[in-house]
Coordinates of all heavy atoms in Angstrom, one line a residue:
M1 N 20.1 -11.2 43.9 CA 19.4 -12.5 43.6 C 18.3 -12.6 44.6 O 18.4 -12.2 45.7 CB 20.5 -13.5 43.8 CG 21.5 -13.6 42.7 SD 20.8 -14.2 41.0 CE 21.0 -15.9 41.2
A2 N 17.3 -13.3 44.3 CA 16.2 -13.6 45.1 C 15.7 -15.0 44.8 O 15.6 -15.3 43.6 CB 15.1 -12.6 45.0
K3 N 15.5 -15.7 45.8 CA 14.8 -17.0 45.6 C 13.4 -16.8 45.5 O 12.7 -16.2 46.3 CB 15.2 -18.0 46.8 CG 14.8 -19.4 46.3 CD 14.9 -20.3 47.6 CE 13.5 -20.3 48.3 NZ 13.4 -21.3 49.5
I4 N 12.7 -17.3 44.4 CA 11.3 -17.2 44.2 C 10.8 -18.7 44.2 O 11.2 -19.5 43.5 CB 10.9 -16.5 43.0 CG1 11.5 -15.1 43.1 CG2 9.4 -16.4 42.8 CD1 11.2 -14.2 41.8
T5 N 9.6 -18.9 45.0 CA 9.0 -20.2 44.8 C 7.8 -20.1 44.2 O 6.9 -19.2 44.5 CB 8.7 -20.7 46.4 OG1 10.0 -20.7 47.1 CG2 8.0 -21.9 46.4
Y6 N 7.6 -21.0 43.2 CA 6.3 -21.0 42.4 C 5.7 -22.3 42.7 O 6.3 -23.3 42.8 CB 6.6 -20.9 40.9 CG 7.4 -19.8 40.4 CD1 8.7 -19.7 40.5 CD2 6.8 -18.9 39.7 CE1 9.4 -18.6 40.0 CE2 7.3 -17.7 39.1 CZ 8.8 -17.6 39.3 OH 9.5 -16.6 38.9
I7 N 4.4 -22.3 43.1 CA 3.5 -23.4 43.4 C 2.5 -23.5 42.3 O 1.6 -22.8 42.3 CB 3.1 -23.4 44.8 CG1 4.1 -23.2 46.0 CG2 2.2 -24.7 45.2 CD1 3.6 -23.0 47.3
T8 N 2.5 -24.7 41.7 CA 1.4 -24.9 40.7 C 0.2 -25.3 41.3 O 0.2 -25.7 42.5 CB 1.9 -25.8 39.6 OG1 2.2 -27.2 40.2 CG2 3.2 -25.4 38.9
F9 N -1.0 -25.3 40.6 CA -2.2 -25.7 41.2 C -2.2 -27.1 41.8 O -3.0 -27.4 42.7 CB -3.3 -25.5 40.1 CG -3.4 -26.6 39.2 CD1 -4.4 -27.6 39.3 CD2 -2.5 -26.8 38.1 CE1 -4.4 -28.6 38.4 CE2 -2.6 -27.8 37.3 CZ -3.5 -28.7 37.4
D10 N -1.4 -28.0 41.3 CA -1.4 -29.4 41.8 C -0.4 -29.5 42.9 O -0.1 -30.6 43.4 CB -1.1 -30.3 40.7 CG 0.2 -30.2 40.1 OD1 1.1 -29.3 40.4 OD2 0.6 -31.0 39.2
G11 N 0.2 -28.3 43.4 CA 1.1 -28.4 44.6 C 2.6 -28.6 44.2 O 3.5 -28.8 45.1
T12 N 2.9 -28.6 42.9 CA 4.3 -28.8 42.6 C 5.1 -27.5 42.9 O 4.5 -26.5 42.6 CB 4.4 -29.2 41.1 OG1 3.7 -30.3 40.8 CG2 5.9 -29.5 40.6
V13 N 6.2 -27.7 43.5 CA 7.0 -26.6 44.0 C 8.3 -26.3 43.1 O 9.0 -27.2 42.8 CB 7.4 -26.7 45.5 CG1 8.3 -25.6 45.9 CG2 6.2 -26.7 46.3
Y14 N 8.4 -25.2 42.6 CA 9.6 -24.8 41.9 C 10.3 -23.6 42.6 O 9.8 -22.6 42.7 CB 9.3 -24.3 40.5 CG 8.7 -25.3 39.5 CD1 7.3 -25.8 39.6 CD2 9.4 -26.0 38.5 CE1 6.7 -26.6 38.8 CE2 8.9 -26.9 37.6 CZ 7.5 -27.1 37.8 OH 6.9 -28.1 37.0
D15 N 11.5 -23.9 43.1 CA 12.3 -22.9 43.6 C 13.4 -22.4 42.6 O 14.1 -23.2 42.1 CB 13.1 -23.5 44.8 CG 12.2 -23.7 46.1 OD1 11.2 -22.9 46.2 OD2 12.4 -24.7 46.7
I16 N 13.3 -21.1 42.4 CA 14.2 -20.5 41.4 C 15.0 -19.3 41.8 O 14.5 -18.5 42.6 CB 13.2 -20.2 40.1 CG1 12.7 -21.4 39.4 CG2 14.0 -19.3 39.1 CD1 11.6 -21.1 38.5
E17 N 16.3 -19.4 41.5 CA 17.1 -18.2 41.9 C 17.0 -17.2 40.7 O 17.2 -17.4 39.5 CB 18.7 -18.6 41.9 CG 18.9 -19.6 43.0 CD 18.8 -18.7 44.5 OE1 18.9 -17.5 44.5 OE2 18.6 -19.5 45.5
A18 N 16.4 -16.0 41.2 CA 16.1 -15.0 40.1 C 17.0 -13.9 40.2 O 17.3 -13.4 41.3 CB 14.7 -14.5 40.3
R19 N 17.5 -13.3 39.1 CA 18.3 -12.1 39.1 C 17.6 -10.8 39.3 O 16.5 -10.7 38.8 CB 19.1 -12.0 37.7 CG 20.3 -12.8 37.7 CD 21.3 -12.2 36.6 NE 20.6 -11.6 35.5 CZ 20.3 -12.2 34.4 NH1 20.6 -13.5 34.2 NH2 19.8 -11.5 33.4
N20 N 18.2 -9.9 40.1 CA 17.5 -8.6 40.2 C 17.3 -7.9 38.9 O 18.0 -8.1 38.1 CB 18.4 -7.7 41.3 CG 18.4 -8.2 42.5 OD1 17.8 -9.1 42.9 ND2 19.3 -7.5 43.4
G21 N 16.1 -7.3 38.8 CA 15.9 -6.5 37.6 C 15.1 -7.3 36.5 O 14.5 -6.7 35.7
T22 N 15.0 -8.8 36.7 CA 14.2 -9.5 35.9 C 12.8 -9.5 36.5 O 12.6 -9.0 37.5 CB 14.7 -10.9 35.8 OG1 14.7 -11.5 37.1 CG2 16.1 -10.9 35.2
T23 N 11.8 -10.1 35.7 CA 10.4 -10.1 36.3 C 10.3 -11.6 36.8 O 10.7 -12.5 36.3 CB 9.4 -9.7 35.4 OG1 9.3 -10.6 34.3 CG2 9.7 -8.3 34.8
V24 N 9.2 -11.7 37.7 CA 8.8 -12.9 38.2 C 8.3 -13.8 37.1 O 8.5 -15.0 37.0 CB 7.6 -12.7 39.2 CG1 7.1 -14.1 39.6 CG2 8.2 -12.1 40.5
M25 N 7.6 -13.2 36.1 CA 7.1 -13.9 34.9 C 8.3 -14.4 34.1 O 8.3 -15.7 33.6 CB 6.3 -13.0 33.9 CG 5.9 -13.6 32.6 SD 7.2 -13.5 31.5 CE 7.1 -11.9 30.7
E26 N 9.4 -13.6 33.8 CA 10.5 -14.1 33.0 C 11.1 -15.2 33.6 O 11.5 -16.3 32.9 CB 11.5 -12.9 32.9 CG 11.1 -11.9 31.9 CD 12.0 -10.5 32.1 OE1 12.7 -10.4 33.0 OE2 11.9 -9.8 31.1
N27 N 11.2 -15.3 35.0 CA 11.9 -16.5 35.6 C 11.2 -17.8 35.5 O 11.8 -18.9 35.3 CB 12.3 -16.0 37.0 CG 13.4 -15.0 37.1 OD1 14.6 -15.4 36.9 ND2 13.1 -13.8 37.1
A28 N 9.8 -17.6 35.5 CA 8.9 -18.7 35.4 C 9.1 -19.3 34.0 O 9.2 -20.5 33.8 CB 7.5 -18.3 35.7
V29 N 9.1 -18.5 33.0 CA 9.2 -18.9 31.6 C 10.5 -19.6 31.3 O 10.6 -20.7 30.7 CB 8.9 -17.7 30.6 CG1 9.2 -18.2 29.1 CG2 7.5 -17.2 30.7
R30 N 11.6 -19.0 31.8 CA 12.9 -19.4 31.5 C 13.1 -20.9 32.2 O 13.7 -21.5 31.6 CB 13.9 -18.5 32.2 CG 15.1 -18.3 31.4 CD 16.1 -17.2 32.0 NE 15.6 -15.9 31.5 CZ 15.9 -14.8 32.3 NH1 16.3 -14.8 33.5 NH2 15.5 -13.6 31.7
N31 N 12.4 -21.0 33.2 CA 12.5 -22.4 33.9 C 11.4 -23.3 33.7 O 11.2 -24.3 34.3 CB 12.6 -22.1 35.4 CG 13.9 -21.5 35.7 OD1 15.1 -22.2 35.7 ND2 14.0 -20.0 35.8
A32 N 10.5 -23.0 32.7 CA 9.4 -23.9 32.3 C 8.4 -24.2 33.3 O 8.0 -25.4 33.4 CB 9.9 -25.1 31.5
V33 N 8.2 -23.2 34.2 CA 7.2 -23.4 35.2 C 5.8 -23.5 34.5 O 5.3 -22.4 33.8 CB 7.1 -22.2 36.3 CG1 6.1 -22.4 37.2 CG2 8.5 -22.2 37.0
P34 N 5.1 -24.6 34.6 CA 3.7 -24.7 33.9 C 2.8 -23.6 34.3 O 2.7 -23.3 35.6 CB 3.3 -26.1 34.2 CG 4.2 -26.6 35.3 CD 5.3 -25.7 35.4
G35 N 2.0 -23.2 33.4 CA 0.8 -22.3 33.9 C 1.1 -20.8 33.7 O 0.2 -20.0 33.8
I36 N 2.3 -20.5 33.3 CA 2.7 -19.1 33.0 C 2.9 -19.0 31.5 O 4.1 -19.2 31.1 CB 3.9 -18.6 33.8 CG1 3.7 -18.8 35.3 CG2 4.2 -17.1 33.5 CD1 2.8 -17.8 36.0
E37 N 1.9 -18.6 30.7 CA 2.1 -18.6 29.2 C 2.7 -17.3 28.8 O 3.6 -17.3 27.9 CB 0.7 -18.7 28.6 CG 0.0 -20.1 28.8 CD 0.8 -21.2 28.3 OE1 1.4 -21.1 27.2 OE2 0.7 -22.4 28.9
A38 N 2.4 -16.3 29.4 CA 3.0 -15.0 29.1 C 3.0 -14.6 27.6 O 4.0 -14.3 27.0 CB 4.4 -15.0 29.5
E39 N 1.8 -14.8 27.1 CA 1.6 -14.5 25.6 C 2.0 -13.3 25.1 O 2.5 -13.2 23.9 CB 0.1 -14.8 25.2 CG -0.3 -16.3 25.2 CD -1.8 -16.3 25.1 OE1 -2.5 -15.6 24.9 OE2 -2.2 -17.6 25.4
C40 N 1.9 -12.2 25.8 CA 2.2 -10.9 25.3 C 3.8 -10.6 25.6 O 4.3 -9.5 25.2 CB 1.3 -9.9 25.8 SG 1.7 -9.3 27.6
G41 N 4.4 -11.5 26.2 CA 6.0 -11.3 26.5 C 6.2 -10.3 27.5 O 7.3 -9.8 27.5
G42 N 5.2 -10.0 28.4 CA 5.5 -9.0 29.5 C 5.0 -7.6 29.2 O 5.5 -6.7 30.0
A43 N 4.1 -7.4 28.3 CA 3.7 -6.0 27.9 C 2.4 -5.6 28.7 O 1.8 -4.6 28.4 CB 3.5 -5.9 26.4
C44 N 2.0 -6.4 29.6 CA 0.8 -6.1 30.5 C -0.3 -6.1 29.5 O -1.1 -5.2 29.7 CB 1.0 -5.0 31.2 SG -0.1 -4.8 32.5
A45 N -0.6 -7.1 28.6 CA -1.5 -7.1 27.6 C -2.1 -8.4 27.4 O -2.8 -8.6 26.3 CB -1.0 -6.6 26.3
C46 N -2.0 -9.4 28.4 CA -2.6 -10.7 28.1 C -3.3 -11.3 29.3 O -4.1 -12.1 29.2 CB -1.5 -11.6 27.4 SG -0.3 -12.2 28.5
A47 N -2.7 -11.2 30.4 CA -3.2 -11.7 31.7 C -2.9 -13.2 31.8 O -3.5 -13.9 32.7 CB -4.7 -11.4 31.9
T48 N -2.1 -13.8 30.9 CA -1.8 -15.2 31.0 C -0.6 -15.3 32.0 O -0.1 -16.5 32.0 CB -1.5 -15.8 29.6 OG1 -0.3 -15.3 29.0 CG2 -2.7 -15.7 28.8
C49 N -0.2 -14.4 32.7 CA 1.0 -14.6 33.7 C 0.4 -14.3 35.1 O 1.2 -14.0 35.9 CB 2.1 -13.6 33.3 SG 1.6 -11.9 33.5
H50 N -0.9 -14.4 35.2 CA -1.6 -14.2 36.5 C -1.1 -15.2 37.5 O -0.9 -16.5 37.4 CB -3.1 -14.4 36.2 CG -4.0 -14.3 37.4 ND1 -5.2 -15.0 37.5 CD2 -3.8 -13.7 38.7 CE1 -5.8 -14.7 38.6 NE2 -4.9 -13.9 39.3
V51 N -0.7 -14.6 38.8 CA -0.4 -15.4 40.0 C -1.0 -14.8 41.1 O -1.6 -13.7 41.1 CB 1.2 -15.4 40.2 CG1 1.9 -16.0 39.1 CG2 1.7 -14.0 40.4
Y52 N -1.1 -15.7 42.2 CA -1.5 -15.1 43.5 C -0.2 -15.0 44.3 O 0.5 -16.0 44.6 CB -2.5 -16.2 44.2 CG -3.7 -16.5 43.4 CD1 -4.0 -17.8 43.1 CD2 -4.5 -15.5 43.0 CE1 -5.2 -18.1 42.4 CE2 -5.7 -15.8 42.3 CZ -6.0 -17.1 42.0 OH -7.2 -17.4 41.3
V53 N -0.1 -13.8 44.9 CA 1.1 -13.5 45.8 C 0.7 -14.1 47.2 O -0.3 -13.8 47.7 CB 1.3 -12.1 45.8 CG1 2.5 -11.8 46.8 CG2 1.8 -11.5 44.3
D54 N 1.6 -14.8 47.8 CA 1.3 -15.4 49.1 C 1.1 -14.2 50.1 O 1.8 -13.1 49.9 CB 2.6 -16.1 49.6 CG 2.5 -16.6 50.9 OD1 2.0 -17.8 51.1 OD2 2.9 -16.1 52.0
E55 N 0.1 -14.4 50.9 CA -0.3 -13.3 51.7 C 0.8 -12.5 52.5 O 0.9 -11.4 52.6 CB -1.4 -13.8 52.8 CG -2.6 -14.3 52.3 CD -3.4 -13.2 51.6 OE1 -3.2 -12.1 51.9 OE2 -4.4 -13.5 50.7
A56 N 1.9 -13.3 52.9 CA 3.0 -12.7 53.5 C 3.8 -11.7 52.8 O 4.5 -11.0 53.3 CB 3.9 -13.9 54.1
W57 N 3.5 -11.7 51.5 CA 4.4 -11.0 50.5 C 3.5 -9.8 49.7 O 4.2 -9.0 49.1 CB 5.1 -11.9 49.6 CG 6.0 -12.7 50.1 CD1 6.0 -14.0 50.6 CD2 7.5 -12.4 50.3 NE1 7.1 -14.4 51.1 CE2 8.2 -13.4 51.0 CE3 8.2 -11.2 50.0 CZ2 9.4 -13.4 51.4 CZ3 9.5 -11.1 50.3 CH2 10.1 -12.2 50.9
V58 N 2.3 -9.8 50.1 CA 1.5 -8.8 49.3 C 2.0 -7.3 49.6 O 2.1 -6.6 48.6 CB 0.0 -9.0 49.8 CG1 -0.9 -7.8 49.5 CG2 -0.6 -10.3 49.3
E59 N 2.4 -7.1 50.8 CA 2.8 -5.6 51.1 C 4.1 -5.4 50.4 O 4.2 -4.3 49.7 CB 3.0 -5.4 52.6 CG 2.4 -4.1 53.1 CD 2.3 -4.2 54.6 OE1 3.3 -3.9 55.2 OE2 1.3 -4.6 55.1
R60 N 5.0 -6.2 50.3 CA 6.3 -6.0 49.7 C 6.3 -6.0 48.3 O 7.1 -5.3 47.5 CB 7.3 -7.1 50.1 CG 8.2 -6.3 51.2 CD 9.2 -7.3 51.8 NE 8.6 -8.3 52.8 CZ 9.2 -9.3 53.5 NH1 10.4 -9.4 53.2 NH2 8.5 -10.0 54.2
T61 N 5.3 -6.8 47.6 CA 5.2 -6.7 46.2 C 4.5 -5.4 45.6 O 4.6 -5.0 44.5 CB 4.6 -8.0 45.6 OG1 3.4 -8.2 46.3 CG2 5.5 -9.1 45.6
G62 N 3.7 -4.9 46.5 CA 3.0 -3.6 46.2 C 1.8 -3.8 45.5 O 1.2 -4.8 45.2
E63 N 1.1 -2.7 45.2 CA -0.2 -2.6 44.6 C 0.0 -2.6 43.1 O 1.0 -2.1 42.5 CB -1.0 -1.2 44.9 CG -1.3 -1.0 46.4 CD -2.5 -1.7 46.7 OE1 -3.4 -1.9 45.8 OE2 -2.5 -2.6 47.7
P64 N -0.9 -3.2 42.3 CA -0.9 -3.2 40.9 C -1.0 -1.8 40.4 O -1.7 -0.9 40.9 CB -2.0 -4.0 40.3 CG -2.6 -4.6 41.6 CD -2.0 -4.0 42.9
Q65 N -0.3 -1.3 39.3 CA -0.5 0.0 38.7 C -1.9 -0.1 37.9 O -2.4 -1.2 37.6 CB 0.5 0.3 37.7 CG 1.9 0.3 38.5 CD 2.0 1.5 39.2 OE1 1.7 2.6 39.0 NE2 2.4 1.2 40.6
P66 N -2.4 1.1 37.6 CA -3.8 1.1 36.9 C -3.8 0.2 35.6 O -4.9 -0.5 35.5 CB -3.9 2.5 36.6 CG -3.2 3.2 37.5 CD -2.0 2.4 37.8
M67 N -2.7 0.2 34.9 CA -2.9 -0.6 33.6 C -2.9 -2.2 34.0 O -3.6 -2.8 33.3 CB -1.5 -0.3 32.9 CG -1.5 -0.9 31.5 SD -0.1 -0.2 30.6 CE 0.2 -1.6 29.4
E68 N -2.3 -2.5 35.0 CA -2.3 -3.9 35.4 C -3.7 -4.2 35.9 O -4.2 -5.3 35.7 CB -1.2 -4.2 36.5 CG -1.1 -5.6 36.9 CD -0.2 -5.7 38.0 OE1 0.8 -4.9 38.1 OE2 -0.2 -6.8 38.7
E69 N -4.2 -3.3 36.7 CA -5.5 -3.5 37.3 C -6.5 -3.7 36.1 O -7.3 -4.7 36.2 CB -6.0 -2.3 38.0 CG -5.4 -2.1 39.5 CD -6.2 -2.8 40.4 OE1 -7.0 -3.7 40.1 OE2 -6.0 -2.6 41.7
D70 N -6.5 -3.0 35.1 CA -7.3 -3.2 33.9 C -7.1 -4.4 33.3 O -8.2 -5.1 33.0 CB -7.1 -2.1 32.9 CG -7.5 -0.7 33.5 OD1 -8.2 -0.6 34.4 OD2 -7.2 0.3 32.8
M71 N -5.9 -4.9 33.2 CA -5.7 -6.3 32.5 C -6.1 -7.4 33.4 O -6.5 -8.3 32.9 CB -4.2 -6.3 32.2 CG -3.8 -7.5 31.2 SD -4.9 -7.5 29.7 CE -4.8 -5.9 29.0
L72 N -6.1 -7.2 34.7 CA -6.5 -8.3 35.6 C -7.8 -8.6 35.5 O -8.4 -9.7 35.7 CB -6.2 -7.9 37.0 CG -4.8 -8.2 37.6 CD1 -4.5 -7.6 38.9 CD2 -4.6 -9.8 37.7
D73 N -8.7 -7.6 34.9 CA -10.1 -7.9 34.6 C -10.4 -9.1 33.6 O -11.3 -9.7 33.6 CB -10.8 -6.6 34.1 CG -10.9 -5.6 35.2 OD1 -10.8 -5.9 36.3 OD2 -11.2 -4.5 34.7
F74 N -9.3 -9.3 32.9 CA -9.4 -10.5 31.8 C -8.9 -11.9 32.4 O -8.9 -12.7 31.7 CB -8.6 -10.0 30.6 CG -9.2 -8.8 29.9 CD1 -8.8 -7.6 30.1 CD2 -10.2 -9.1 29.0 CE1 -9.2 -6.4 29.5 CE2 -10.7 -7.9 28.3 CZ -10.3 -6.7 28.6
A75 N -8.4 -11.8 33.6 CA -7.8 -13.0 34.2 C -9.0 -13.8 34.9 O -10.1 -13.1 35.1 CB -6.8 -12.6 35.2
S76 N -8.9 -15.0 35.1 CA -9.9 -15.8 35.7 C -9.6 -16.0 37.3 O -8.5 -15.8 37.7 CB -10.0 -17.2 35.1 OG -10.2 -17.3 33.8
D77 N -10.8 -16.0 38.0 CA -10.6 -16.2 39.5 C -9.7 -15.2 40.1 O -8.8 -15.6 40.9 CB -10.1 -17.7 39.7 CG -11.0 -18.8 39.1 OD1 -12.3 -18.5 39.0 OD2 -10.4 -19.7 38.6
V78 N -10.0 -14.0 39.9 CA -9.0 -13.0 40.5 C -9.5 -12.8 41.9 O -10.5 -12.9 42.3 CB -9.4 -11.6 39.7 CG1 -8.6 -10.5 40.4 CG2 -8.9 -11.7 38.2
Q79 N -8.4 -12.6 42.7 CA -8.4 -12.4 44.2 C -7.7 -11.3 44.5 O -7.0 -10.7 43.8 CB -7.9 -13.7 44.9 CG -8.8 -15.0 44.5 CD -8.1 -16.3 45.2 OE1 -7.2 -16.1 46.0 NE2 -8.7 -17.3 44.8
P80 N -7.9 -10.8 45.9 CA -7.3 -9.5 46.3 C -5.7 -9.6 46.2 O -5.1 -8.6 45.9 CB -7.6 -9.4 47.7 CG -9.0 -10.2 47.9 CD -8.9 -11.3 46.9
N81 N -5.2 -10.8 46.2 CA -3.8 -11.0 46.1 C -3.2 -11.3 44.7 O -2.2 -11.7 44.5 CB -3.2 -12.1 47.1 CG -3.8 -13.4 46.9 OD1 -4.9 -13.5 46.3 ND2 -3.2 -14.3 47.4
S82 N -4.1 -11.1 43.7 CA -3.7 -11.4 42.3 C -2.8 -10.4 41.8 O -3.0 -9.1 42.0 CB -5.1 -11.4 41.4 OG -5.8 -12.6 41.7
R83 N -1.9 -10.8 41.0 CA -0.9 -9.9 40.3 C -0.6 -10.5 39.0 O -0.7 -11.7 38.7 CB 0.4 -9.7 41.1 CG 0.3 -8.9 42.4 CD -0.1 -7.5 42.3 NE 0.7 -6.7 41.2 CZ 1.8 -6.1 41.6 NH1 2.3 -6.1 42.8 NH2 2.6 -5.5 40.6
L84 N -0.2 -9.6 38.1 CA 0.4 -10.2 36.8 C 2.0 -10.2 37.0 O 2.5 -9.2 37.4 CB 0.0 -9.2 35.7 CG -1.4 -9.1 35.3 CD1 -1.6 -8.1 34.2 CD2 -2.0 -10.5 34.9
S85 N 2.5 -11.5 36.9 CA 3.8 -11.7 37.3 C 4.9 -11.0 36.4 O 5.9 -10.7 36.8 CB 4.1 -13.2 37.3 OG 3.9 -13.8 36.1
C86 N 4.4 -10.4 35.2 CA 5.3 -9.6 34.4 C 5.6 -8.3 35.0 O 6.4 -7.6 34.6 CB 4.9 -9.6 33.0 SG 3.4 -8.7 32.7
Q87 N 4.7 -7.9 35.9 CA 4.7 -6.5 36.4 C 5.4 -6.6 37.9 O 5.4 -5.6 38.7 CB 3.3 -5.9 36.6 CG 2.6 -5.8 35.2 CD 3.4 -5.1 34.2 OE1 3.8 -3.9 34.5 NE2 3.8 -5.7 33.1
I88 N 5.9 -7.7 38.3 CA 6.6 -7.8 39.6 C 8.1 -7.9 39.3 O 8.5 -9.0 38.7 CB 6.1 -8.9 40.5 CG1 4.6 -8.9 40.6 CG2 6.8 -9.0 41.7 CD1 4.0 -10.2 41.4
R89 N 8.9 -6.9 39.6 CA 10.3 -6.8 39.4 C 11.1 -7.5 40.6 O 10.8 -7.1 41.7 CB 10.7 -5.6 39.0 CG 12.0 -5.6 38.1 CD 12.1 -4.2 37.3 NE 11.2 -4.2 36.1 CZ 11.5 -4.8 34.9 NH1 12.6 -5.5 34.8 NH2 10.7 -4.7 33.9
V90 N 12.0 -8.3 40.3 CA 12.8 -9.0 41.3 C 13.9 -8.0 41.9 O 14.4 -7.3 41.1 CB 13.6 -10.3 40.7 CG1 14.4 -10.9 41.6 CG2 12.5 -11.3 40.1
S91 N 13.9 -8.0 43.1 CA 15.0 -7.3 43.9 C 15.4 -8.1 45.1 O 14.8 -9.1 45.5 CB 14.5 -6.0 44.3 OG 13.5 -6.0 45.3
D92 N 16.4 -7.7 45.9 CA 16.8 -8.5 47.1 C 15.7 -8.5 48.1 O 15.4 -9.4 48.8 CB 18.0 -7.8 47.8 CG 19.3 -8.0 46.8 OD1 19.2 -8.9 46.1 OD2 20.3 -7.2 47.1
A93 N 14.9 -7.5 48.0 CA 13.7 -7.3 49.0 C 12.7 -8.4 48.8 O 11.8 -8.6 49.6 CB 13.0 -5.9 48.9
L94 N 12.7 -9.1 47.6 CA 11.6 -10.2 47.4 C 12.4 -11.5 47.5 O 11.8 -12.5 47.1 CB 11.2 -10.0 46.0 CG 10.3 -8.7 45.7 CD1 9.7 -8.8 44.4 CD2 9.3 -8.6 46.8
D95 N 13.5 -11.6 48.2 CA 14.2 -12.9 48.4 C 13.2 -13.8 49.3 O 12.9 -13.3 50.4 CB 15.5 -12.7 49.1 CG 16.2 -14.0 49.2 OD1 16.0 -14.9 48.5 OD2 17.1 -14.2 50.2
G96 N 12.8 -14.8 48.8 CA 11.8 -15.6 49.6 C 10.4 -15.6 49.1 O 9.5 -16.3 49.7
L97 N 10.2 -14.9 48.0 CA 8.8 -14.5 47.6 C 8.1 -15.9 47.1 O 8.8 -16.8 46.6 CB 8.8 -13.7 46.4 CG 7.5 -13.5 45.6 CD1 6.5 -12.7 46.4 CD2 7.8 -12.7 44.3
V98 N 6.9 -16.1 47.5 CA 6.1 -17.2 47.1 C 4.8 -16.8 46.3 O 4.1 -15.9 46.7 CB 5.5 -18.0 48.4 CG1 4.7 -19.2 48.0 CG2 6.8 -18.3 49.2
V99 N 4.7 -17.4 45.1 CA 3.5 -17.2 44.3 C 2.9 -18.5 43.9 O 3.6 -19.5 43.8 CB 3.9 -16.3 43.1 CG1 4.5 -15.0 43.3 CG2 4.9 -17.1 42.2
R100 N 1.5 -18.5 43.8 CA 0.8 -19.6 43.4 C 0.3 -19.3 42.0 O -0.3 -18.2 41.8 CB -0.2 -20.0 44.3 CG 0.4 -20.4 45.7 CD -0.6 -20.8 46.7 NE 0.0 -21.4 47.9 CZ 0.7 -20.7 48.9 NH1 0.7 -19.4 48.7 NH2 1.3 -21.3 49.8
I101 N 0.1 -20.5 41.3 CA -0.4 -20.2 40.0 C -1.8 -20.8 39.9 O -2.2 -21.8 40.5 CB 0.4 -21.1 38.9 CG1 1.8 -20.4 38.9 CG2 -0.2 -21.1 37.5 CD1 2.9 -21.3 38.5
P102 N -2.9 -19.9 39.3 CA -4.3 -20.4 39.5 C -4.6 -21.7 38.9 O -3.9 -22.0 37.8 CB -5.0 -19.1 38.9 CG -4.0 -18.1 38.8 CD -2.6 -18.6 38.8
A103 N -5.5 -22.4 39.3 CA -6.0 -23.6 38.8 C -6.5 -23.5 37.4 O -6.1 -24.4 36.4 CB -7.1 -24.2 39.6
S104 N -6.9 -22.4 37.1 CA -7.4 -22.1 35.7 C -6.4 -22.0 34.7 O -6.6 -22.2 33.4 CB -8.2 -20.8 35.6 OG -7.5 -19.8 36.0
Q105 N -5.2 -21.9 35.2 CA -3.9 -21.9 34.2 C -3.2 -23.2 34.3 O -2.1 -23.3 33.8 CB -2.9 -20.6 34.6 CG -3.7 -19.4 34.2 CD -3.0 -18.1 34.9 OE1 -3.7 -17.3 35.4 NE2 -1.7 -18.2 35.0
G106 N -3.8 -24.3 34.8 CA -3.1 -25.5 35.0 C -3.1 -26.3 33.8 O -3.8 -26.0 32.8
Ligands
LIG1 FE1 1.1 -10.7 29.3 FE2 2.0 -10.4 31.8 S1 3.0 -11.5 30.2 S2 0.3 -9.6 30.9

């Protein structure tokens, strides 16, 4: 289990207990966190699950894979800490992870 904190563009905080092996996107959708549409259902094919990983967590969440990099080109306001949340898998190592949802998805 890992606690994940989602912060929406207006500053609303959602603290969610996530099971290992699920994705950061799945936990947002399951808990109705606004701004994570996940239109493709996690297939890395829509970029509507775009989040900013808190700077303190960038190293632990790792680099996007090439397919994710390509899809990020379709997201708005991409920053160096941008990730597609369907490509971040929850594990104990991510307990405490903080992600922010871009204003463009508000
Ligand atoms: Fe579509 Fe993540 S849910 S790219």
Side-chain angles (χ1 to χ4, degrees):
M1 291 290 270
K3 190 189 89 173
I4 302 179
T5 299
Y6 301 79
I7 305 175
T8 62
F9 77 103
D10 65 357
T12 308
V13 175
Y14 293 78
D15 285 327
I16 290 168
E17 291 291 334
R19 274 204 328 267
N20 289 354
T22 60
T23 67
V24 171
M25 174 280 277
E26 286 167 343
N27 288 281
V29 169
R30 217 174 275 149
N31 291 279
V33 175
I36 305 284
E37 295 296 328
E39 279 167 16
C40 77
C44 198
C46 73
T48 62
C49 65
H50 177 203
V51 295
Y52 301 126
V53 173
D54 186 86
E55 294 297 340
W57 289 90
V58 165
E59 224 165 88
R60 257 175 286 181
T61 48
E63 294 283 317
Q65 297 297 304
M67 191 173 153
E68 181 183 346
E69 283 278 12
D70 289 348
M71 194 46 59
L72 272 169
D73 290 343
F74 295 95
S76 303
D77 305 324
V78 174
Q79 297 179 7
N81 59 338
S82 286
R83 291 293 308 272
L84 296 180
S85 57
C86 68
Q87 303 301 303
I88 305 175
R89 210 158 275 284
V90 174
S91 68
D92 290 342
L94 295 188
D95 186 28
L97 174 67
V98 178
V99 297
R100 291 182 175 77
I101 295 154
S104 55
Q105 288 161 224

